[in-house]
Amino acid sequence: MKNYFSSPFKLGVLGGGQLGRMLLAETQKFDVYTAILDKSLEAPCAKKCDEFHQGDLLDFDTVYNFGKKVDLLTIEIENVNIDALDKLEKEGLTIYPKPSNLRVIQNKASQKKFYKDNNIPTADFNHYAYLEELKHSYENDIIDFPLVWKAARFGYDGNGVKVVRTIDDLESLPAGECITESLIPFKNELAVIVARNTNGESTTYPVVEMEFHPEANQVEYVICPARINDTVAKKAQEIAIKVADAFDFVGLLAVEMFQTENDEILVNEVAPRTHNSGHYSIEASYTNQFEQHVRSILNLPLGNTESKVAGIMVNLVGAEGYTGNVFYENLEDILRIDGVTPHIYGKKTTKPFRKMGHVTIVHEDVNKAREIAQQVKETVKVISK
Amino acid sequence: MKNYFSSPFKLGVLGGGQLGRMLLAETQKFDVYTAILDKSLEAPCAKKCDEFHQGDLLDFDTVYNFGKKVDLLTIEIENVNIDALDKLEKEGLTIYPKPSNLRVIQNKASQKKFYKDNNIPTADFNHYAYLEELKHSYENDIIDFPLVWKAARFGYDGNGVKVVRTIDDLESLPAGECITESLIPFKNELAVIVARNTNGESTTYPVVEMEFHPEANQVEYVICPARINDTVAKKAQEIAIKVADAFDFVGLLAVEMFQTENDEILVNEVAPRTHNSGHYSIEASYTNQFEQHVRSILNLPLGNTESKVAGIMVNLVGAEGYTGNVFYENLEDILRIDGVTPHIYGKKTTKPFRKMGHVTIVHEDVNKAREIAQQVKETVKVISK
C-alpha cells in the first residue's frame, strides 16, 4: 500500500467551504498535504490549507489544470465541472467520488431515475426539461397541486425546492429543468452516512433524525441517534448501503430519507460528500465523518462509526434582518454549558440563513442533549455589527 | 466581554511545534486568527497558521517585535526570552501564562524553591550554580550516590535528567547550573492538568498515569484514568490545584507527580502549557486540552474536563538506528483497530527518540484500551527510508 503519510503525495479538493475546512483538520492529523481550489480568496479554507488555488469550480480549464497538479482528487461540493473530471480520469487521475457518480447525482432527474432503475424506494416523480412543460401538464390536468417542485441542478440547502400549492407559486418558479413529486406526509426526515473504500468495504453511521426550519427548509437540529425504533433504523441503514453499492461508490455518501406514516423508507436525495448531518460525529463518534472520508478515498481501513455519546447539531445561520460583518451574539453563554462545542466557519459576512457555523451538543442521554440544543438555539444569534 | 470570534483580534503563539499544531485545530474551530513564531520554516505549524513568522524564540528583539504585532500572546514551549515578555507586559500586552510564572518554571531550581516556599510537597533538593560545586559536595561526603541530577534549564522530554550512580556518571554531566534530588522509589508517575482563567475559575482533568520508556526517559503510555484509588486521585488533583493557585496561574498547567510507596504525592515538575499527558483528551474528553487552553487564556468559561471514554496515548518516537526522511511502518495496520487514531506531526526527518506523532486509543474499558495500546506500540515503527 502507498504510504500517504508524510510522503510527497498531494490531495486535491474541489471547494474550500466549511466542509473543506473541517476536512483539513483531519488531513492535518494524518499529515496529508492538501491543495484546495475555490473561487473566493476569503473561502473558509483559504488560509488553512497547504496550497490554495483561486478559480471557478464550474470552469473546465480551471478544474482540469488544478487536477493536473494533484495525485488524488476529491470534492467538498458537488457542483463542479464534470467534463474536466472525466478528462482527468481518462488521463489516469484517481478521483473519488467517481465523476460518473457525480454526473448522476448532480442532476436530480437522473438521480431519481437511478433510484427507480436500481429498485431503491423513492417517491414517484415527473421530469420536465423546462418549467413551461410543467405548466402545460398542470393546465392539461395531468398533475395537480399540492406538489413538490425541485430544480434539477444546483439546488443547495433547500434552495431549489418549493412546495407548490397555487398557480401563483407555479408562476414564481425558475424557468429551467425540474422534477416534481407528490407531497408525501412523513413522520421523520432521516439520514444515513455510508463510507465505502475502493476495496468495497463499507460502514454506515447510525441513523440521524433531522428537524427542519419550517420556512428556510434548512436543517435546524440533527439528532444522533434518531429517536426511532430499531426495525426502522435497520431498514434505513440497509437502504443506504443499497444506494452506495448501486453506485459502486467510493468516499462518503449521505443518504437523506423520509420515514412515511406507515414506516416506509423513501430515499429523498444523496450528497456525495461529507454532510451537515454528520457534523455531530466530530464530538460524538469514534471516527468522525471527515476522518472517515480521508480513510475511504485513500483506501485505508474504515474507522468505527459508533458513537461514544449522543450528539446533536444546531446550525448557526445568519439571523433574518442582518447582512454584513458577522457577530456571534451570546456565544460565550453557551460555552458555560457542559458538552457544548461551537464551530465557527470563518466567513466574514453574514446574511439571512447563511450557514456561518454549527454547535454540537453531546450528552450521554439524547433527550437531555435535545433540551440543551434548544437552549443553545434560543441563546446564540448570528447578527451583524 | 470582548468578542474574539471573527473579530480583528490576533492571537500570537511562541513556538510552532506539534503542540501549536494541535492548538491550531482549536483556534480554527473558534475562528481565532493565529500568528506563530518559530525558528524553523519546516516547523509543524508553518503551513497551518494564519500568519507564520520565522525567528529565534530566545532572541530578545525577535520575541519583542513579534509580541508588538499581536493582541494576546501565549506559548507552546517554555524556553522563550522572558525579558522580552516582561517588557511587552509592561507596555500593556496581555500574556498568558504570565512571564513571572514562566521565569520561575524555566529554572528547575527556582521552581523547586517555589514549591518549598508554598508548602507544596516535593522531593528535597540541592542547588548548584555549576557542576563543580556538585562534585565538591560529593568529594566532601555532603551528598552520596545514587542521586538524580537535573539541569536547571532547557531540559525537555527527559533530556537534562540523569540518575547518577558512579563517579563516571558524575564526570559525564554538563558543566552548568543544576539541582540534585535523592532517588525516591515510587509506585506511579501521575499527572494532572489544571486549567485556570483570569477570573480564577479552575478545572482539573482526571489524573493520568504515565509509563516511561526505561532508557530514553520519555513517556511511552499515558493512561486516563490512572488505575489508582479515589483517595490518591483526589489528593493528586488537590495538590495540582494548590500549585496552580500558588502561581495565580492563567492557562493550562500540567503538574507531574510521583506517587510514593506509601501513597504520598510529591510534585516533580510542571509544564506551563498543553502537555503530552493531555493528548488523549482530543478523543476521550468532552473538552480537549487545546480547546481548554484557548478558553482559559481568552477568559471564556472553562469546558467539561470529564472523559466520554477511557483514553490511552502512545508516543510515536523515532526508532533507534534510523535518521532521515520519516516513514511510518505499519500505520495502516493499526487503523484496522476500532478506536485508534494516529496524529502525525508533519516533521520531515526522524531521529532516535524524536517525537514524530502519537496514537490515541479509546475504549469504554481502560484495561482493554491498555491491551490495544500495547498492540499499537508493537506494530507501528517510525523509521527512515
Side-chain angles (χ1 to χ4, degrees):
Chain A
M1 171 234 162
K2 192 175 169 96
N3 194 295
Y4 297 99
F5 310 103
S6 63
S7 76
F9 173 85
K10 191 188 286 190
L11 173 66
V13 182
L14 297 174
Q18 62 265 21
L19 300 177
R21 186 170 161 125
M22 289 183 272
L23 184 73
L24 286 171
E26 305 309 312
T27 58
Q28 171 174 312
K29 208 165 78 178
F30 280 13
D31 199 33
V32 174
Y33 186 98
T34 310
I36 296 228
L37 177 68
D38 194 277
K39 68 175 186 302
S40 168
L41 282 175
E42 296 202 338
C45 287
K47 297 289 198 83
K48 307 292 179 187
C49 53
D50 294 297
E51 219 180 276
F52 184 76
H53 297 256
Q54 190 184 15
D56 185 349
L57 297 170
L58 291 168
D59 180 65
F60 182 94
D61 289 341
T62 304
V63 171
Y64 177 76
N65 291 330
F66 178 73
K68 293 307 270 185
K69 294 189 181 80
V70 303
D71 298 300
L72 192 155
L73 191 58
T74 189
I75 56 148
E76 64 105 54
I77 183 166
E78 57 272 35
N79 290 331
V80 298
N81 190 300
I82 315 257
D83 293 336
L85 298 188
D86 281 341
K87 186 167 158 69
L88 287 164
E89 193 178 49
K90 265 187 208 123
E91 292 173 7
L93 182 65
T94 306
I95 305 175
Y96 296 129
K98 288 177 282 189
S100 56
N101 287 171
L102 292 178
R103 197 176 283 285
V104 170
I105 292 166
Q106 220 182 45
N107 184 300
K108 285 212 175 114
S110 59
Q111 197 185 130
K112 290 286 285 192
K113 187 170 178 305
F114 181 85
Y115 302 142
K116 292 290 183 191
D117 290 348
N118 288 278
N119 293 313
I120 291 158
T122 192
D124 290 333
F125 74 106
N126 290 302
H127 177 205
Y128 306 95
Y130 303 96
L131 185 67
E132 282 305 314
E133 285 189 12
L134 165 55
K135 287 186 189 168
H136 193 258
S137 278
Y138 174 72
E139 284 153 11
N140 290 285
D141 291 329
I142 298 165
I143 54 165
D144 204 359
F145 302 145
L147 56 80
V148 180
W149 166 93
K150 294 180 179 176
R153 298 192 55 158
F154 304 123
Y156 200 73
D157 284 342
N159 296 315
V161 178
K162 278 263 152 44
V163 177
V164 176
R165 297 178 191 279
T166 66
I167 187 77
D168 282 354
D169 290 344
L170 190 62
E171 295 290 346
S172 70
L173 294 171
E177 185 184 2
C178 60
I179 63 168
T180 60
E181 295 172 355
S182 44
L183 190 62
I184 296 164
F186 55 82
K187 277 201 265 194
N188 279 309
E189 294 205 45
L190 307 173
V192 174
I193 291 175
V194 184
R196 208 164 169 282
N197 66 17
T198 60
N199 290 343
E201 287 169 7
S202 67
T203 57
T204 55
Y205 278 83
V207 184
V208 302
E209 183 187 337
M210 298 183 291
E211 288 187 36
F212 279 75
H213 185 281
E215 286 156 51
N217 198 28
Q218 274 186 328
V219 177
E220 264 200 319
Y221 301 103
V222 172
I223 301 164
C224 179
R227 294 159 301 178
I228 56 175
N229 73 46
D230 290 350
T231 315
V232 174
K234 194 158 172 271
K235 197 198 285 181
Q237 286 182 312
E238 282 167 359
I239 289 172
I241 286 181
K242 190 174 175 187
V243 175
D245 285 348
F247 278 118
D248 190 22
F249 199 82
V250 176
L252 230 66
L253 186 73
V255 183
E256 296 186 41
M257 293 171 277
F258 298 115
Q259 177 189 4
T260 66
E261 300 288 356
N262 56 351
D263 285 347
E264 252 190 307
I265 297 288
L266 298 176
V267 172
N268 177 21
E269 61 178 31
V270 299
R273 51 169 167 81
T274 57
H275 192 247
N276 200 257
S277 67
H279 288 355
Y280 78 90
S281 65
I282 297 175
E283 282 79 18
S285 306
Y286 281 93
T287 311
N288 75 53
Q289 66 164 344
F290 300 97
E291 180 181 333
Q292 194 79 320
H293 181 66
V294 174
R295 285 175 179 242
S296 62
I297 61 173
L298 298 187
N299 201 30
L300 295 168
L302 298 173
N304 181 359
T305 57
E306 287 172 282
S307 296
K308 301 165 190 164
V309 283
I312 296 190
M313 187 216 58
V314 176
N315 276 322
L316 290 180
V317 300
E320 288 186 88
Y322 296 92
T323 299
N325 284 337
V326 65
F327 183 84
Y328 298 93
E329 198 172 62
N330 303 327
L331 197 54
E332 192 186 347
D333 294 333
I334 64 166
L335 288 173
R336 288 185 206 289
I337 311 168
D338 279 353
V340 169
T341 308
H343 292 255
I344 307 297
Y345 298 153
K347 298 173 186 178
K348 288 189 182 162
T349 56
T350 183
K351 57 185 179 186
F353 301 113
R354 187 179 191 194
K355 278 189 191 166
M356 301 300 290
H358 75 263
V359 180
T360 308
I361 297 96
V362 293
H363 199 283
E364 286 183 17
D365 174 0
V366 68
N367 295 308
K368 181 68 190 156
R370 181 62 185 77
E371 279 170 34
I372 297 169
Q374 182 94 31
Q375 188 187 343
V376 165
K377 185 86 194 166
E378 287 164 3
T379 303
V380 184
K381 214 172 160 190
V382 182
I383 60 172
S384 57
K385 259 202 171 170
Chain B
M1 171 235 163
K2 192 174 168 94
N3 194 296
Y4 298 101
F5 309 104
S6 65
S7 75
F9 173 86
K10 190 187 287 188
L11 173 66
V13 182
L14 296 175
Q18 61 264 21
L19 300 177
R21 186 169 161 123
M22 289 182 273
L23 184 73
L24 286 171
E26 305 309 312
T27 59
Q28 171 174 312
K29 207 166 79 179
F30 280 13
D31 200 32
V32 174
Y33 186 99
T34 309
I36 295 226
L37 177 68
D38 194 277
K39 68 177 185 300
S40 168
L41 282 175
E42 296 202 339
C45 287
K47 296 289 197 84
K48 306 293 178 186
C49 54
D50 295 297
E51 217 181 280
F52 184 76
H53 297 257
Q54 189 184 15
D56 185 349
L57 298 171
L58 290 168
D59 180 65
F60 181 93
D61 289 341
T62 304
V63 171
Y64 177 76
N65 291 330
F66 177 74
K68 293 307 271 185
K69 295 189 181 77
V70 303
D71 298 300
L72 193 155
L73 191 59
T74 189
I75 56 149
E76 64 105 55
I77 183 166
E78 57 272 36
N79 291 330
V80 299
N81 190 300
I82 313 254
D83 293 336
L85 298 188
D86 281 341
K87 186 167 159 67
L88 287 164
E89 195 179 47
K90 265 187 209 121
E91 291 173 8
L93 182 66
T94 306
I95 305 176
Y96 296 128
K98 288 177 283 189
S100 57
N101 287 170
L102 292 179
R103 197 177 283 283
V104 171
I105 292 166
Q106 220 182 44
N107 184 301
K108 284 209 177 119
S110 59
Q111 198 186 130
K112 290 286 285 191
K113 187 170 179 304
F114 180 85
Y115 302 141
K116 291 291 183 191
D117 290 348
N118 287 278
N119 294 313
I120 290 158
T122 191
D124 290 333
F125 75 105
N126 289 302
H127 177 205
Y128 306 95
Y130 302 96
L131 186 67
E132 281 306 313
E133 285 189 11
L134 165 54
K135 287 185 189 169
H136 194 257
S137 278
Y138 175 72
E139 284 153 12
N140 289 285
D141 291 329
I142 298 166
I143 54 166
D144 202 0
F145 302 145
L147 57 81
V148 180
W149 166 91
K150 293 181 180 176
R153 298 192 54 159
F154 305 123
Y156 200 73
D157 284 343
N159 295 315
V161 178
K162 278 262 153 46
V163 177
V164 177
R165 296 178 193 279
T166 66
I167 188 77
D168 281 355
D169 289 346
L170 190 62
E171 293 291 345
S172 70
L173 294 170
E177 186 185 1
C178 60
I179 63 167
T180 60
E181 295 172 354
S182 45
L183 190 61
I184 296 164
F186 56 82
K187 276 200 264 192
N188 279 308
E189 293 205 46
L190 307 174
V192 174
I193 291 175
V194 184
R196 208 164 168 281
N197 65 16
T198 60
N199 290 344
E201 287 168 8
S202 67
T203 56
T204 55
Y205 278 84
V207 185
V208 302
E209 182 188 337
M210 298 183 289
E211 287 186 37
F212 279 76
H213 185 282
E215 288 156 52
N217 197 28
Q218 273 186 327
V219 177
E220 264 199 318
Y221 301 102
V222 172
I223 301 165
C224 180
R227 293 159 300 178
I228 55 175
N229 73 47
D230 289 351
T231 314
V232 173
K234 191 155 173 275
K235 197 197 286 180
Q237 286 182 313
E238 282 167 0
I239 288 171
I241 286 182
K242 189 174 176 186
V243 175
D245 285 349
F247 278 118
D248 190 23
F249 199 82
V250 176
L252 231 66
L253 187 73
V255 183
E256 295 186 42
M257 293 171 277
F258 298 116
Q259 177 189 3
T260 66
E261 300 289 356
N262 56 351
D263 285 347
E264 250 190 307
I265 296 288
L266 298 176
V267 172
N268 177 22
E269 61 179 30
V270 298
R273 51 168 167 80
T274 57
H275 192 247
N276 200 259
S277 68
H279 289 355
Y280 79 89
S281 65
I282 297 175
E283 282 79 17
S285 306
Y286 280 93
T287 310
N288 76 53
Q289 66 164 342
F290 300 96
E291 180 181 333
Q292 194 78 318
H293 181 66
V294 174
R295 286 175 178 240
S296 63
I297 62 174
L298 299 188
N299 202 30
L300 295 168
L302 298 173
N304 182 358
T305 57
E306 287 172 282
S307 297
K308 301 166 190 164
V309 283
I312 296 189
M313 188 217 56
V314 176
N315 277 321
L316 290 180
V317 301
E320 289 187 87
Y322 296 91
T323 298
N325 284 336
V326 65
F327 183 83
Y328 300 93
E329 198 171 63
N330 303 327
L331 197 54
E332 192 186 347
D333 294 334
I334 64 165
L335 288 173
R336 290 187 204 290
I337 311 168
D338 280 353
V340 169
T341 308
H343 291 255
I344 307 296
Y345 299 154
K347 299 174 185 177
K348 287 188 181 164
T349 56
T350 183
K351 58 186 179 185
F353 300 113
R354 187 178 192 196
K355 277 189 193 167
M356 301 300 289
H358 74 262
V359 180
T360 309
I361 297 95
V362 292
H363 199 282
E364 287 183 14
D365 175 1
V366 67
N367 295 308
K368 183 65 191 160
R370 181 63 185 77
E371 279 170 34
I372 297 169
Q374 182 95 30
Q375 189 187 344
V376 165
K377 184 86 197 169
E378 287 164 4
T379 304
V380 184
K381 214 172 161 188
V382 182
I383 59 172
S384 57
K385 257 203 171 169

